[in-house]
Amino acid sequence: MSAPGERCPACGNLRPAGTGVSGLCPLCLLQIGLEHEQEGQAGWIDPETWECRVLNLLGAEGGETSFLAEQGAPVKRLVVLRQVHVPIASPDDRALVTARLRALTSFDHPHVARVIGGLISNERGLLLVMAYAPGTPLETYCGRTHPAEQDRLSLLLAVAEAIGRAHDRGLVHGALTSSRVVVTRRAGVAHAVVTGLGVEMMRQRPPDPSADARALVELCGTAGVKMPSGRLRSAREIADWLRAYPLPSRRSTPTDIAGT
Amino acid sequence: MTDRNQEASRDWAGMPRQFATTRWSVVLAAGDADTPGSREALARLCEIYWYPLYAFARRWGHTADEAQDLTQEFFARLLEKHYLGDVKPERGRFRSFLLASLKHFLLNERDRVLAQKRGGGHMPIPLEFETAEGRYRLEPRDPSTPETVFERRWALTLLDRVLSQLRHEYDESKRGPLFQALQGLLTGQADTPRYAELGALLGMTEGAVKIAAHRLRRRFGELLRQEIADTVADPADVDDEIRYLFKVLSA
């Protein structure tokens, strides 16, 4: 840990002298409190304390419209509102939606844009409120920056592991495309974030996890990593395959690529 | 909803709102009534946040002995409800209340308190004065006002407490070494090893370390918000209070 009075490497602010807090930057610690606000009960956002204004239309795919919005309270930040057409009129419908919302909002992964909660708009029905993940779509990022093979593998592995983790929790993306994986930079390192998890989940019939596995294989292809067709049937298998991928430094040892 | 310049939309239909209480709201709701819950809540808050008051009294110009006596007497009177009757319940903050009450106390009561024999009074809550002066000597010797010293120390006390709680939780679940290894990642310390190096150190994959660090941050955020919520009258004020403390520490 560095001494008080120095600049924090993360936020660049001068640390207040005489700080305790284990030598950590108190300003960064406070910032964490603003990132992790507590949401409503059982996945529903409390409409009494929630305010937002829509900034612009992000897109309309398959009848689902999404907006970029600025949330004003209880915390100020950008969010994505995704309109989901599901029945919510009857108590049974509402219970089903609530159960799925609860599962989605409790899923917290560094490589997945979080579902913050559900909201019922008088105008638009059910809206999923999701964390806004700014960044460049994976395919565009690879096309523009030509990252090294190891870096591409690292991004893809993070995505495959995140999807695998979601499947372990019974969550399925169902609409994974290269535009729904964005690359941003965190602490100077490229960081992949899967967006849109939850939209398909909210439909009456949750999609099959194998659709995510097929989408992952395609995603790897668009990022320039060719996978053996038809052999990898789950996100976990794809993650394992990516982990064991023969990098240039290892290609001279054929045993490393056994099983690929 | 579709108008870019539309003011905050309020067309959300209702899911029932849960009524939430905080330690400070319990104290405020009790007012002059001496209920066991409110007395305990106030005592607990005082036990946590006594040091900023001591630092304020020292910066105000009192010696270490005087500051101890004054802080002790102030809390004794506070817990005997000599002050709470005057508190306005609407949107009060425990931080603001304590500072205003202490200033009032120092202006009006100090001569009488200091004339009394030291150590004769009953100590209502355990205050670790042995360590207080050592801590105070580490305070920066800048021209900060006593109010600034109080508020800065308040913010740091709060963060220290949250870190201790988090460390305690990890220790309790036998994950103390994980906390030690990951705590630098809470704020992106320059000398913290990268995820892969930490993974090798901890016997975890790089991905597992990332998730563990993410959870550590999330839990820290939850505990921080809970701790701040206990010092404001309405949980909806937590974000404003965080921003205020941010300003205090950035100044």
Side-chain angles (χ1 to χ4, degrees):
Chain A
M1 304 289 158
S2 42
E6 293 176 353
R7 286 201 180 275
C8 167
C11 71
N13 284 306
L14 197 63
R15 288 185 203 174
T19 62
V21 290
S22 303
L24 302 173
C25 171
L27 296 170
C28 286
L29 290 175
L30 281 173
Q31 186 62 40
I32 298 173
L34 288 177
E35 290 165 15
H36 294 287
E37 81 290 10
Q38 288 164 327
E39 306 300 345
Q41 298 284 312
W44 291 104
I45 286 173
D46 180 354
E48 292 296 315
T49 59
W50 203 78
E51 286 179 5
C52 94
R53 67 187 179 112
V54 173
L55 298 176
N56 56 37
L57 181 70
L58 285 176
E61 270 182 80
E64 311 289 0
T65 314
S66 56
F67 304 92
L68 179 66
E70 184 185 60
Q71 183 184 330
V75 62
K76 194 171 178 178
R77 61 177 166 186
L78 291 175
V79 294
V80 174
L81 305 179
R82 285 186 194 268
Q83 189 184 4
V84 185
H85 296 292
V86 288
I88 45 173
S90 74
D92 284 351
D93 292 338
R94 190 72 72 100
L96 185 65
V97 168
T98 300
R100 288 180 180 160
L101 258 185
R102 189 181 290 135
L104 283 166
T105 53
S106 66
F107 184 62
D108 187 16
H109 193 283
H111 293 284
V112 177
R114 203 161 74 85
V115 177
I116 295 167
L119 197 62
I120 296 173
S121 157
N122 291 334
E123 283 178 41
R124 296 182 180 277
L126 176 66
L127 290 168
L128 274 187
V129 182
M130 312 176 90
Y132 174 58
T136 312
L138 180 68
E139 191 175 3
T140 313
Y141 174 81
C142 290
R144 276 187 198 157
T145 63
H146 306 292
E149 187 175 41
Q150 186 162 1
D151 295 334
R152 278 180 284 136
L153 285 168
S154 175
L155 290 170
L156 292 167
L157 178 59
V159 172
E161 284 181 338
I163 295 294
R165 184 77 64 159
H167 289 177
D168 293 346
R169 300 278 296 270
L171 304 175
V172 179
H173 193 296
L176 190 64
T177 61
S178 77
S179 65
R180 291 196 172 112
V181 176
V182 295
V183 181
T184 182
R185 294 195 83 77
R186 287 192 187 171
V189 178
H191 182 94
V193 179
V194 176
T195 66
L197 176 72
V199 178
E200 294 297 316
M201 274 286 297
M202 298 309 293
R203 293 179 192 275
Q204 288 293 72
R205 288 172 182 273
D208 181 358
S210 63
D212 282 352
R214 288 193 297 275
L216 275 170
V217 171
E218 275 185 37
L219 197 69
C220 290
T222 59
V225 176
K226 287 216 165 184
M227 312 199 87
S229 60
R231 284 178 51 192
L232 304 170
R233 293 199 168 87
S234 73
R236 284 278 172 222
E237 286 178 3
I238 292 168
D240 289 343
W241 187 88
L242 287 166
R243 221 175 273 118
Y245 189 88
L247 289 167
S249 58
R250 288 192 275 154
R251 277 183 186 146
S252 57
T253 54
T255 49
D256 275 353
I257 56 170
T260 64
Chain B
M1 278 272 304
T2 51
D3 181 356
R4 183 186 170 88
N5 296 315
Q6 189 176 338
E7 283 305 305
S9 296
R10 300 292 290 166
D11 73 328
W12 319 120
M15 289 286 137
R17 185 185 182 184
Q18 299 277 323
F19 179 70
T21 55
T22 70
R23 272 200 183 117
W24 183 228
S25 70
V26 168
V27 176
L28 287 175
D32 281 329
D34 186 9
T35 64
S38 71
R39 178 171 277 264
E40 278 166 23
L42 182 60
R44 187 81 190 102
L45 286 169
C46 294
E47 209 176 308
I48 297 165
Y49 295 106
W50 65 272
Y51 176 72
L53 293 177
Y54 175 85
F56 178 90
R58 287 287 283 120
R59 188 57 67 102
W60 188 271
H62 290 286
T63 64
D65 286 344
E66 287 172 356
Q68 285 186 20
D69 288 345
L70 288 163
T71 309
Q72 187 175 319
E73 185 61 23
F74 172 74
F75 279 125
R77 293 191 188 191
L78 187 63
L79 292 172
E80 284 163 17
K81 302 275 179 180
H82 285 199
Y83 290 122
L84 283 169
D86 299 333
V87 182
K88 301 280 184 292
E90 67 274 4
R91 304 184 70 78
R93 308 247 161 121
F94 182 58
R95 171 176 53 75
S96 317
F97 161 75
L98 265 192
L99 183 57
S101 304
L102 181 70
K103 281 161 90 171
H104 181 267
F105 174 81
L106 291 177
L107 287 168
N108 295 290
E109 306 273 349
R110 63 177 170 183
D111 292 342
R112 207 164 61 79
V113 171
L114 294 176
Q116 292 172 349
K117 189 180 173 186
R118 284 194 58 231
H122 165 64
M123 199 160 179
I125 50 175
L127 306 182
E128 294 172 5
F129 282 126
E130 303 80 46
T131 59
E133 191 53 21
R135 284 173 70 184
Y136 180 72
R137 287 182 191 283
L138 293 175
E139 296 291 346
R141 297 195 179 281
D142 60 18
S144 303
T145 62
E147 286 82 0
T148 313
V149 170
F150 169 85
E151 294 199 314
R152 187 186 289 167
R153 191 39 67 183
W154 177 280
L156 295 173
T157 300
L158 184 133
L159 291 171
D160 253 335
R161 177 169 163 74
V162 175
L163 264 182
S164 302
Q165 281 179 300
L166 187 60
R167 185 180 294 117
H168 180 70
E169 280 189 7
Y170 273 72
D171 285 343
E172 286 280 289
S173 55
K174 302 194 187 328
R175 291 177 298 157
L178 183 67
F179 178 85
Q180 285 300 327
L182 298 184
Q183 68 167 337
L185 294 173
L186 277 171
T187 60
Q189 291 294 110
D191 50 1
T192 304
R194 294 172 72 94
Y195 291 113
E197 292 165 34
L198 279 171
L201 204 69
L202 295 164
M204 296 163 72
T205 65
E206 186 179 351
V209 174
K210 277 187 192 173
I211 290 169
H214 182 70
R215 288 188 178 147
L216 183 79
R217 274 176 75 82
R218 179 152 191 82
R219 185 63 188 144
F220 179 87
E222 286 169 359
L223 289 173
L224 176 62
R225 296 183 68 84
Q226 281 171 22
E227 190 64 28
I228 291 177
D230 270 341
T231 69
V232 293
D234 184 342
D237 293 336
V238 169
D239 289 295
D240 284 345
E241 181 69 354
I242 293 178
R243 289 193 189 98
Y244 182 81
L245 297 177
F246 202 89
K247 209 160 69 180
V248 165
L249 288 176
S250 318

